[in-house]
Amino acid sequence: DTEVTQTPKHLVMGMTNKKSLKCEQHMGHRAMYWYKQKAKKPPELMFVYSYEKLSINESVPSRFSPECPNSSLLNLHLHALQPEDSALYLCASSQDGGVGNQPQHFGDGTRLSIL
Amino acid sequence: EDKVVQSPLSLVVHEGDTVTLNCSYEVTNFRSLLWYKQEKKAPTFLFMLTSSGIEKKSGRLSSILDKKELSSILNITATQTGDSAIYLCAVRRSGSRLTFGEGTQLTVNP
């Protein structure tokens, strides 16, 4: 188990559903990240929050909507997803607010399947 | 565009063998190189190498950064079946982005 907790571990949803992925860390880290990982591929960065503000959006489609309610929580709201969005969604955090040089620590991910 | 290349992509060894995994990079404003181990779920952080810390060791694992050759190696000695995983190399330049390589799939057979 990691110190970055993601829920749910698995999610199956239809293309018209709305769901949310949640991520929590209590390490006092000030940067949080969402990554998407397809099978047999490395993680791809989606969003970065630095000190609770969105600092990077890697041209992610608007059907993915991130939210950072406080420094410990990160959500990813999903709506009208496509089958190609099926993947492992990883959350990560780092101590440095994303501007220093500290390693990112990953959660176990949510495995998402779109029917 | 930043580029990270790992080799080999796949490696099968027997328990007790020593393995060397390679990572080369082309990144502007290099800040650090990180190694992660990924089994079924989360990538687990192994090492971070920077200009001021080019060699790291933890138990049977060690890593070296060659800034001149823009590369790094990850060594695992006396491999065990529990070392079977994908090993990811990632490079960070200024800012928070990590650029990952494709990974090396290591399989250690008993």
Side-chain angles (χ1 to χ4, degrees):
Chain A
D1 288 341
T2 71
E3 294 182 82
V4 178
T5 304
Q6 291 188 242
T7 56
K9 294 190 187 306
H10 302 274
L11 180 61
V12 179
M13 58 187 285
M15 289 190 283
T16 57
N17 291 156
K18 285 185 182 181
K19 296 284 185 184
S20 297
L21 309 185
K22 296 186 184 301
C23 176
E24 191 168 356
Q25 57 87 13
H26 293 289
M27 297 179 283
H29 289 181
R30 302 314 302 269
M32 296 185 77
Y33 311 76
W34 280 116
Y35 287 85
K36 174 182 178 180
Q37 187 175 26
K38 301 284 275 185
K40 299 188 188 303
K41 291 291 185 183
E44 296 175 10
L45 183 66
M46 300 174 72
F47 302 104
V48 180
Y49 272 83
S50 176
Y51 295 93
E52 300 162 50
K53 293 193 187 320
L54 183 65
S55 60
I56 295 177
N57 176 343
E58 293 283 34
S59 303
V60 179
S62 59
R63 58 186 184 269
F64 295 91
S65 175
E67 178 197 17
C68 188
N70 60 55
S71 60
S72 300
L73 293 174
L74 185 66
N75 298 321
L76 186 63
H77 302 298
L78 315 172
H79 175 54
L81 295 194
Q82 303 298 309
E84 61 264 28
D85 296 322
S86 298
L88 180 68
Y89 287 84
L90 292 163
C91 174
S93 68
S94 64
Q95 187 179 31
D96 57 2
V99 296
N101 204 17
Q102 295 296 316
Q104 294 177 22
H105 296 270
F106 287 82
D108 281 342
T110 293
R111 193 161 296 281
L112 177 64
S113 298
I114 306 300
L115 301 179
Chain B
E1 186 179 331
D2 298 342
K3 194 174 175 184
V4 179
V5 178
Q6 292 187 243
S7 64
L9 293 180
S10 179
L11 188 57
V12 180
V13 300
H14 291 289
E15 266 191 318
D17 288 350
T18 293
V19 298
T20 299
L21 311 183
N22 300 284
C23 176
S24 63
Y25 60 90
E26 294 176 24
V27 174
T28 53
N29 300 317
F30 171 87
R31 296 200 66 182
S32 57
L33 184 146
L34 297 90
W35 285 97
Y36 288 88
K37 175 184 181 183
Q38 187 171 26
E39 297 173 83
K40 293 192 187 307
K41 298 180 180 177
T44 303
F45 171 70
L46 295 175
F47 299 120
M48 185 172 78
L49 303 160
T50 66
S51 300
S52 56
I54 61 172
E55 189 166 353
K56 293 287 174 75
K57 182 175 171 61
S58 177
R60 297 179 293 104
L61 277 67
S62 62
S63 183
I64 297 174
L65 177 68
D66 188 334
K67 285 186 60 188
K68 186 177 176 184
E69 296 296 327
L70 305 184
S71 65
S72 175
I73 60 171
L74 176 69
N75 278 324
I76 307 175
T77 60
T79 51
Q80 302 170 358
T81 55
D83 295 326
S84 296
I86 296 172
Y87 289 84
L88 293 165
C89 171
V91 175
R92 183 175 183 175
R93 53 179 170 90
S94 55
S96 54
R97 281 184 181 82
L98 286 181
T99 300
F100 282 88
E102 292 289 312
T104 293
Q105 171 76 63
L106 174 65
T107 302
V108 181
N109 290 322

